[in-house]
Amino acid sequence: MAQVTLDELNRMDQRAFVAALGDIFEHAPWVAEAAHNARPFPSLNALYEAMTAAVRGAGDGRQMTLINGHPDLAGKAAREGTMTTDSKHEQSSAGLDRLSADEFAAFHRLNNAYREKFGMPFIVCVRRHGKESILRQFERRLGNDAATERDAALTEIFRIGALRLDQRVTASDRLRVHGRLSTHVLDTHAGCPASGVTIELFEVASSGEPHLLSRTITNADGRTDHPLIAEQPIPIAHYELRFGIGEYFARQAVAVADPPFLGIVPIRFAVAEPEAHYHVPIIVTPWSYSTYRGS
Amino acid sequence: MAQVTLDELNRMDQRAFVAALGDIFEHAPWVAEAAHNARPFPSLNALYEAMTAAVRGAGDGRQMTLINGHPDLAGKAAREGTMTTDSKHEQSSAGLDRLSADEFAAFHRLNNAYREKFGMPFIVCVRRHGKESILRQFERRLGNDAATERDAALTEIFRIGALRLDQRVTASDRLRVHGRLSTHVLDTHAGCPASGVTIELFEVASSGEPHLLSRTITNADGRTDHPLIAEQPIPIAHYELRFGIGEYFARQAVAVADPPFLGIVPIRFAVAEPEAHYHVPIIVTPWSYSTYRGS
Amino acid sequence: MAQVTLDELNRMDQRAFVAALGDIFEHAPWVAEAAHNARPFPSLNALYEAMTAAVRGAGDGRQMTLINGHPDLAGKAAREGTMTTDSKHEQSSAGLDRLSADEFAAFHRLNNAYREKFGMPFIVCVRRHGKESILRQFERRLGNDAATERDAALTEIFRIGALRLDQRVTASDRLRVHGRLSTHVLDTHAGCPASGVTIELFEVASSGEPHLLSRTITNADGRTDHPLIAEQPIPIAHYELRFGIGEYFARQAVAVADPPFLGIVPIRFAVAEPEAHYHVPIIVTPWSYSTYRGS
Amino acid sequence: MAQVTLDELNRMDQRAFVAALGDIFEHAPWVAEAAHNARPFPSLNALYEAMTAAVRGAGDGRQMTLINGHPDLAGKAAREGTMTTDSKHEQSSAGLDRLSADEFAAFHRLNNAYREKFGMPFIVCVRRHGKESILRQFERRLGNDAATERDAALTEIFRIGALRLDQRVTASDRLRVHGRLSTHVLDTHAGCPASGVTIELFEVASSGEPHLLSRTITNADGRTDHPLIAEQPIPIAHYELRFGIGEYFARQAVAVADPPFLGIVPIRFAVAEPEAHYHVPIIVTPWSYSTYRGS
């Protein structure tokens, strides 16, 4: 779907407005329809508030219809190809389109248990989670009561909508839906930033091979030209950064052991707040390093 | 072979002495025979010096026979079961009895190339090396000239003999053939040693799964009751220590993220000096850690 | 007073025993007299327990006489030379014999206020405190009620007695009255202990010049041949360690700035537990360092 | 002297141009006069190049006159009030107007020795040095030969001119004459920036009291709102940053010792490159800290 500016939206009649934003909430163009009345919007956040207010103000019936309009995770809709395009992209971002048979069975079992207990599909903003985190959410939320789960479903629907809206609409403000993962390599042997260090970022699951997300190299400031992750939530998951420290010092005029004490330096950490900034630097000599969650 | 004390050796006649030490040098009881003349030995190091002096003082012919008495690495002798017991143990310690087909082929190719170039078997003290380090040694030494390689073969034979002698003979001194790998976990969140931290030590190859060497847990001092490696050379190889930091802080009354920023903390490093002390500690909070080669 | 062994004490009659230990508790030979009945003592700790039990079991009158037998801190007895030798040494160890006029006035004022409120001298085991810590104790304890203060006085008398007893008697066990301050310099530029580093230890007060306690130099292990403080409580106080890092790296073949980024590295810290082990190392390159309370 | 834009300068006739820039080089309006011919200047750096080229292209006589037009450091001109305003400000910035009698005598002696050897005043860009660094420069340069010293004098004159020019002229580019000193406090006990930490910056001489340069407090990012030093060279000198870590953790809900292990944390370092960026952060828990020269 093409991007649209907030100014354009503010000038649209209801039909055009619903055509532009009718799919922000899954199968629920009535949300955009209701929000249209609140024009003009001074900011993207104001537009978002108007849309969520429309959902909150709708009756129980409409809310349940909205909830029930969402597909099962990794479920029948996916296999039968009846999901909306947005839903498809969202589910594939978390690797839900690459499940093993065991994982597929786990999702199937949890979907059924959830539906049986709550009479609605399990909804989660999958862009905020890795595969393992979704399963953990699933198991936790199965233990909730119905009222808590209904609130949880709406919270997740709002998160899904916020991400779609932020991508769809250009405005001078942004919704607070993005996190950032960055790094920095400082060479305290020479007292300067370490440039030319190769960095690989993996997502690490409790079983199976690490999944390579990106590969980059440090610039003259010891940083990467672009953040490792930006313009999206950082999925709640375990990660591993691998720094090519051995090769870096081999290129400097530094006497090291053979093989060098430090070759590939792995830093493994978990992200728990998808919208936060995680700065994970490494301060390194041929014989030592330290890391921390910076900001 | 049973242990013997230096005192007992000093009182033995030549026959008994050769029976006790005749196999320290492979298929070369004449080394013990010659060393017997230098009794009594004030120290184990003096005995070792006498044996290596006997080899150094022997003619070219005897030295070549000594060299040629050694089996090929991962070679025919191994498959046919004609190796001495010591050689078998030594080769299995480096994992040479668990080679993949590709690795076996590499050894076979290198053995042949080496024999063709130098007319003798490739000799290396395998207890000082991991599998990959042996292959690297092999390739490097293939580039040497004959005189250099003959010196190298004797150096390795002396190392093999030193390890065997140190295990065989009890004395008030030791040969300097052992390294030590130790660790320590310090909790700078609470300002005290971290006790109860699980630690796993792996050998890591450039391909294939890490190989678990040992699993232990820190005591009240944040140390392990026994060194991770001791009473042997530390094979030249890459290692990974994995510290169960997430579980440790979960047991303390510490507010952390969910999942915690640090779960399993891996420290990957290489050993280049098998007879040295490597102290690889970790100084850790829920949000940071540092490590270094200490002593 | 000469040292005596536990064995000798166990064989003494009461007169000799009281001659040997009668002054462990100030002006109170009756404590030793009572403890004599509990011979033989299997350990120094058992002897100490017997003496403190004798004090605890004495009536109020005797306890008050014991308490009142102690001199004022920095008080009249000191100026008139009527203190016991032990008391003199103890008070000088905390610098109470080198008070400024203002400090002397503060002690005088606090002594009078304390005596007026509690009808007894303020007692504190001065070997466990720096001058500022004693003043802080003084002010805090002035706020207590009489019963609390009487317990506090006995606790301090027991600490004074324990230190005297531990110095007087040789046994196979020791009383737990000593702390230890140690350090270590690790060079992570070269990956080895830093030897030849000059270290100065100062006591630092909130005003006035730092007071040099000792000067030493690191050995081949990057440690000092003897702990910086040992065989005594570490007085509760602020300290500063100054490491001659600039000169150390100037002696290595290390390219540094002119002047070097790090010259004298000061580490300032406070001791709160006089009987604990404080290990305060520094891990250093020409461009970075870290320190922590180790163990 | 009022600021002027590069555009304005480019449009000036020679008389106005010399009025605006005639004092950039001490008592040498002929430099501006010569540079005027090279108008228009595309950048401030181009203007600076034109002025230094004019000096380099002048004959020996003019250069020596330029050099001799500079006052002695802390010398007679200062006492008699005949220095230019710029020179006065420059000399006071290094504390040369606050010399002790001994320091004044040292400058007097060095000035005389220098004049006697080289027949010209000792010239140094004092804004780039602390008092001790100037004396060290003085002593080193006294050992040079005449040709080296004449080059050194011109280099320093160019540095003085660059600083004056950069302050006088507004352009879209800047001369590379400024350094920056910044810091950052990261709390790895809580995993977040440390806000509200008081920071004091001192200049530290080998004797005498540290001289307080500024006092500030960290903001929500653990940084200071403004760099500690910016928009000027950082004088070559020793500095000490003092961080109020004890008070910071006392305000958090953190169990610490009494007194806390860390109270005021001093970081002492030297600046050797006045035009560089020195980032000197501290990463801290109640029991540990680390620092490094970052960027």
Side-chain angles (χ1 to χ4, degrees):
Chain A
M1 177 76 67
Q3 282 202 317
V4 61
T5 69
L6 186 62
D7 278 354
E8 289 165 351
L9 285 170
N10 277 335
R11 287 192 306 267
M12 285 180 182
D13 63 16
Q14 197 183 49
R15 178 198 297 259
F17 191 86
V18 171
L21 301 183
D23 57 351
I24 294 297
F25 288 84
E26 192 93 354
H27 300 308
W30 56 267
V31 181
E33 213 172 286
H36 183 260
N37 298 326
R39 276 179 324 140
F41 303 105
S43 66
L44 182 55
N45 277 279
L47 166 56
Y48 174 68
E49 289 307 316
M51 295 186 89
T52 55
V55 174
R56 281 203 191 86
D60 274 11
R62 275 205 139 169
Q63 288 185 352
M64 279 312 300
T65 306
L66 172 62
I67 289 172
N68 278 308
H70 285 75
D72 281 349
L73 277 179
K76 213 168 52 134
R79 280 170 296 163
E80 295 177 358
T82 61
M83 285 201 301
T84 63
T85 309
D86 279 339
S87 280
K88 259 187 235 165
H89 285 160
E90 287 154 8
Q91 296 206 7
S92 78
S93 79
L96 296 186
D97 55 344
R98 288 169 279 134
L99 296 177
S100 69
D102 279 1
E103 290 167 334
F104 198 88
F107 270 103
H108 190 66
R109 177 178 55 74
L110 288 161
N111 269 329
N112 287 350
Y114 190 93
R115 250 192 202 285
E116 186 162 334
K117 176 165 181 185
F118 297 113
M120 62 187 198
F122 173 73
I123 302 177
V124 67
C125 178
V126 294
R127 285 198 192 273
R128 300 177 76 250
H129 297 273
K131 201 163 56 178
E132 293 189 322
S133 176
I134 292 176
L135 281 171
R136 209 165 49 230
Q137 289 288 318
F138 223 148
E139 270 154 14
R140 277 187 201 168
R141 284 174 50 188
L142 255 177
N144 286 344
D145 61 29
T148 304
E149 244 341 89
R150 189 163 162 168
D151 285 352
L154 288 179
T155 296
E156 296 295 322
I157 285 172
F158 292 160
R159 284 172 167 159
I160 295 166
L163 277 164
R164 292 178 180 176
L165 193 64
D166 189 79
Q167 285 194 293
R168 183 75 52 81
V169 182
T170 310
S172 60
D173 65 326
R174 300 289 302 264
L175 299 184
R176 208 189 152 281
V177 291
H178 303 306
R180 187 151 55 100
L181 174 64
S182 59
T183 188
H184 182 200
V185 187
L186 191 75
D187 169 359
T188 51
H189 185 274
C192 63
S195 68
V197 177
T198 56
I199 301 177
E200 292 180 324
L201 174 65
F202 291 85
E203 186 179 337
V204 181
S206 56
S207 68
E209 288 291 293
H211 176 61
L212 180 65
L213 297 176
S214 63
R215 182 180 282 124
T216 182
I217 195 163
T218 56
N219 57 26
D221 289 330
R223 303 181 189 271
T224 59
D225 286 340
H226 305 286
L228 297 165
I229 292 180
E231 289 293 307
Q232 61 165 87
I234 316 175
I236 296 174
H238 291 83
Y239 296 90
E240 187 168 297
L241 282 165
R242 294 188 189 160
F243 298 88
I245 296 305
E247 289 184 0
Y248 166 76
F249 281 116
R251 285 194 304 271
Q252 322 297 317
V254 170
V256 293
D258 177 23
F261 183 64
L262 298 178
I264 297 292
V265 170
I267 305 286
R268 202 175 292 176
F269 62 94
V271 165
E273 302 172 82
E275 290 80 20
H277 180 200
Y278 284 76
H279 183 62
V280 184
I282 178 169
I283 301 161
V284 68
T285 78
W287 303 97
S288 66
Y289 62 92
S290 62
T291 188
Y292 52 82
R293 180 180 172 185
S295 62
Chain B
M1 175 75 70
Q3 283 204 315
V4 60
T5 69
L6 186 62
D7 278 353
E8 288 165 350
L9 286 169
N10 277 334
R11 287 191 307 267
M12 285 181 181
D13 63 17
Q14 197 183 49
R15 176 197 299 260
F17 191 86
V18 172
L21 302 183
D23 57 352
I24 295 297
F25 288 85
E26 192 92 354
H27 300 307
W30 57 265
V31 181
E33 214 172 285
H36 182 260
N37 298 326
R39 277 178 323 139
F41 303 104
S43 66
L44 182 56
N45 277 278
L47 166 56
Y48 173 68
E49 289 307 316
M51 296 185 89
T52 55
V55 175
R56 281 204 190 84
D60 274 10
R62 275 205 139 166
Q63 288 186 353
M64 280 312 301
T65 307
L66 172 62
I67 289 172
N68 279 306
H70 285 74
D72 281 351
L73 275 178
K76 210 168 53 134
R79 279 170 297 162
E80 295 178 357
T82 63
M83 286 201 300
T84 63
T85 309
D86 278 339
S87 279
K88 259 186 238 166
H89 285 159
E90 286 154 11
Q91 296 207 8
S92 78
S93 80
L96 296 185
D97 55 344
R98 288 169 280 135
L99 296 178
S100 68
D102 279 1
E103 290 166 333
F104 198 88
F107 270 103
H108 189 67
R109 177 180 54 78
L110 288 161
N111 269 329
N112 287 350
Y114 190 92
R115 251 193 201 284
E116 187 163 332
K117 176 164 182 185
F118 297 114
M120 62 187 198
F122 173 75
I123 302 177
V124 67
C125 178
V126 294
R127 285 197 191 275
R128 300 178 75 252
H129 296 273
K131 205 164 52 178
E132 293 190 324
S133 177
I134 292 175
L135 280 171
R136 209 165 49 230
Q137 289 288 318
F138 222 147
E139 271 154 15
R140 278 187 200 167
R141 285 174 49 188
L142 255 178
N144 286 344
D145 61 29
T148 304
E149 243 343 87
R150 188 160 162 171
D151 285 352
L154 288 179
T155 296
E156 296 295 322
I157 285 171
F158 292 161
R159 285 172 167 160
I160 294 166
L163 277 165
R164 291 178 181 176
L165 194 63
D166 189 79
Q167 285 194 292
R168 185 75 51 83
V169 182
T170 310
S172 60
D173 65 326
R174 300 290 301 266
L175 300 185
R176 206 189 152 282
V177 291
H178 303 305
R180 188 150 54 99
L181 174 63
S182 59
T183 189
H184 182 200
V185 187
L186 191 74
D187 169 359
T188 51
H189 185 274
C192 63
S195 69
V197 177
T198 57
I199 300 177
E200 292 181 323
L201 174 64
F202 291 84
E203 187 179 337
V204 181
S206 56
S207 67
E209 288 291 293
H211 176 61
L212 180 65
L213 297 176
S214 62
R215 182 181 282 123
T216 183
I217 195 162
T218 56
N219 57 26
D221 289 332
R223 303 181 189 272
T224 59
D225 286 341
H226 304 287
L228 297 166
I229 293 179
E231 289 292 307
Q232 62 166 86
I234 316 176
I236 296 173
H238 292 83
Y239 296 90
E240 187 169 297
L241 282 165
R242 294 187 189 160
F243 297 89
I245 296 304
E247 289 184 0
Y248 166 75
F249 281 116
R251 283 194 305 272
Q252 322 297 317
V254 170
V256 293
D258 176 24
F261 183 64
L262 297 179
I264 296 292
V265 170
I267 305 286
R268 204 175 290 176
F269 62 95
V271 164
E273 302 171 84
E275 290 81 19
H277 179 200
Y278 284 76
H279 183 62
V280 184
I282 178 170
I283 300 161
V284 68
T285 78
W287 304 97
S288 66
Y289 62 92
S290 63
T291 188
Y292 51 83
R293 180 182 172 184
S295 62
Chain C
M1 176 75 69
Q3 283 204 315
V4 60
T5 70
L6 187 62
D7 278 353
E8 289 165 350
L9 285 171
N10 277 333
R11 287 192 306 267
M12 285 179 182
D13 63 16
Q14 197 182 50
R15 178 198 299 261
F17 192 86
V18 171
L21 302 184
D23 57 351
I24 295 297
F25 288 83
E26 191 93 356
H27 300 308
W30 57 266
V31 181
E33 213 173 286
H36 182 259
N37 299 326
R39 276 178 324 138
F41 303 105
S43 66
L44 182 55
N45 277 278
L47 166 56
Y48 174 68
E49 290 307 317
M51 295 185 89
T52 55
V55 175
R56 281 204 191 84
D60 275 11
R62 274 204 141 168
Q63 289 186 352
M64 279 313 301
T65 306
L66 172 62
I67 290 172
N68 279 307
H70 285 75
D72 281 349
L73 277 178
K76 209 168 56 134
R79 279 170 295 164
E80 296 179 357
T82 62
M83 285 202 300
T84 64
T85 309
D86 279 339
S87 281
K88 260 187 235 166
H89 285 160
E90 287 154 10
Q91 297 207 7
S92 79
S93 79
L96 296 186
D97 56 344
R98 288 169 280 131
L99 296 177
S100 69
D102 280 0
E103 290 166 333
F104 198 89
F107 270 105
H108 190 67
R109 177 180 55 77
L110 288 161
N111 269 328
N112 287 350
Y114 190 93
R115 253 192 199 283
E116 186 164 333
K117 176 165 182 185
F118 297 113
M120 62 187 198
F122 173 74
I123 302 177
V124 67
C125 178
V126 294
R127 283 198 193 275
R128 301 177 74 250
H129 297 273
K131 203 165 54 179
E132 292 189 322
S133 176
I134 291 176
L135 281 172
R136 208 167 47 233
Q137 289 288 318
F138 222 148
E139 271 153 14
R140 279 188 198 167
R141 284 174 52 188
L142 255 178
N144 286 344
D145 61 29
T148 304
E149 239 347 84
R150 188 163 164 170
D151 284 352
L154 289 179
T155 296
E156 296 296 322
I157 285 171
F158 292 161
R159 285 173 166 159
I160 295 166
L163 277 163
R164 292 178 180 176
L165 193 64
D166 189 78
Q167 285 194 293
R168 183 75 53 80
V169 182
T170 310
S172 59
D173 65 325
R174 300 288 301 266
L175 300 184
R176 205 186 155 282
V177 291
H178 303 305
R180 188 151 54 99
L181 174 63
S182 59
T183 188
H184 182 201
V185 187
L186 190 74
D187 169 359
T188 51
H189 184 274
C192 62
S195 69
V197 177
T198 56
I199 300 176
E200 292 180 324
L201 174 65
F202 291 84
E203 186 179 337
V204 181
S206 55
S207 66
E209 287 292 292
H211 176 60
L212 180 66
L213 297 176
S214 62
R215 182 181 281 124
T216 182
I217 195 161
T218 56
N219 58 26
D221 289 330
R223 302 180 190 272
T224 58
D225 286 341
H226 304 287
L228 297 166
I229 292 179
E231 289 293 307
Q232 62 165 85
I234 316 176
I236 296 174
H238 292 82
Y239 296 90
E240 187 168 296
L241 282 165
R242 295 187 188 161
F243 298 88
I245 295 304
E247 289 184 1
Y248 166 76
F249 281 115
R251 284 194 304 271
Q252 322 297 317
V254 170
V256 293
D258 178 23
F261 182 65
L262 298 179
I264 297 292
V265 170
I267 305 285
R268 203 174 292 176
F269 61 94
V271 164
E273 303 171 82
E275 290 81 20
H277 179 199
Y278 283 77
H279 183 62
V280 184
I282 177 169
I283 301 161
V284 68
T285 78
W287 304 98
S288 66
Y289 62 91
S290 62
T291 188
Y292 51 83
R293 180 181 172 183
S295 62
Chain D
M1 176 75 69
Q3 283 203 317
V4 60
T5 70
L6 187 62
D7 278 354
E8 288 164 352
L9 287 170
N10 278 334
R11 288 192 304 267
M12 285 180 183
D13 64 16
Q14 197 183 48
R15 178 198 298 259
F17 192 86
V18 171
L21 301 183
D23 57 350
I24 295 297
F25 288 84
E26 192 92 354
H27 300 307
W30 57 265
V31 182
E33 213 172 285
H36 181 260
N37 299 326
R39 278 178 323 139
F41 303 104
S43 66
L44 182 56
N45 278 278
L47 166 57
Y48 174 68
E49 289 308 317
M51 296 186 90
T52 55
V55 175
R56 283 204 190 83
D60 274 11
R62 276 205 139 167
Q63 288 186 353
M64 279 312 301
T65 307
L66 172 62
I67 289 172
N68 279 307
H70 285 75
D72 281 349
L73 275 178
K76 210 169 52 132
R79 278 169 297 163
E80 295 178 357
T82 63
M83 287 201 301
T84 64
T85 308
D86 279 338
S87 280
K88 259 187 234 164
H89 285 160
E90 286 154 10
Q91 297 207 7
S92 79
S93 79
L96 296 186
D97 54 344
R98 287 169 280 134
L99 296 177
S100 68
D102 279 1
E103 290 166 334
F104 198 88
F107 270 103
H108 190 67
R109 178 180 53 77
L110 288 161
N111 269 328
N112 287 350
Y114 190 93
R115 251 193 200 283
E116 186 162 333
K117 176 165 182 185
F118 297 113
M120 61 188 199
F122 173 74
I123 302 178
V124 67
C125 178
V126 294
R127 286 199 192 273
R128 298 178 75 250
H129 297 273
K131 203 163 54 177
E132 292 189 324
S133 176
I134 291 176
L135 281 171
R136 209 166 49 231
Q137 290 288 318
F138 222 149
E139 270 153 15
R140 278 187 200 167
R141 285 174 48 189
L142 255 178
N144 286 344
D145 62 28
T148 304
E149 243 341 88
R150 189 162 160 169
D151 285 352
L154 288 179
T155 297
E156 296 296 322
I157 285 172
F158 292 160
R159 286 173 167 158
I160 295 166
L163 276 164
R164 291 178 180 177
L165 193 64
D166 188 79
Q167 285 194 293
R168 183 75 51 83
V169 182
T170 310
S172 60
D173 65 326
R174 301 290 301 266
L175 299 185
R176 207 188 152 282
V177 292
H178 303 306
R180 188 151 54 100
L181 174 63
S182 58
T183 188
H184 183 200
V185 187
L186 191 74
D187 168 359
T188 52
H189 185 275
C192 62
S195 69
V197 177
T198 55
I199 300 176
E200 292 180 324
L201 173 66
F202 291 85
E203 186 179 338
V204 181
S206 55
S207 67
E209 288 291 293
H211 176 60
L212 179 66
L213 298 176
S214 62
R215 182 181 282 126
T216 182
I217 195 162
T218 55
N219 58 25
D221 289 330
R223 302 180 189 273
T224 59
D225 286 340
H226 304 286
L228 297 166
I229 293 179
E231 289 293 307
Q232 61 165 87
I234 316 176
I236 296 173
H238 293 82
Y239 297 91
E240 188 169 295
L241 282 165
R242 295 187 188 160
F243 298 88
I245 295 305
E247 288 184 0
Y248 166 76
F249 280 117
R251 284 194 305 270
Q252 323 296 317
V254 170
V256 293
D258 176 25
F261 183 64
L262 298 179
I264 297 292
V265 170
I267 306 285
R268 203 175 291 176
F269 61 95
V271 164
E273 302 171 82
E275 290 81 20
H277 179 199
Y278 283 77
H279 184 62
V280 184
I282 179 170
I283 300 161
V284 68
T285 77
W287 303 98
S288 66
Y289 62 92
S290 62
T291 188
Y292 51 82
R293 180 182 171 183
S295 63

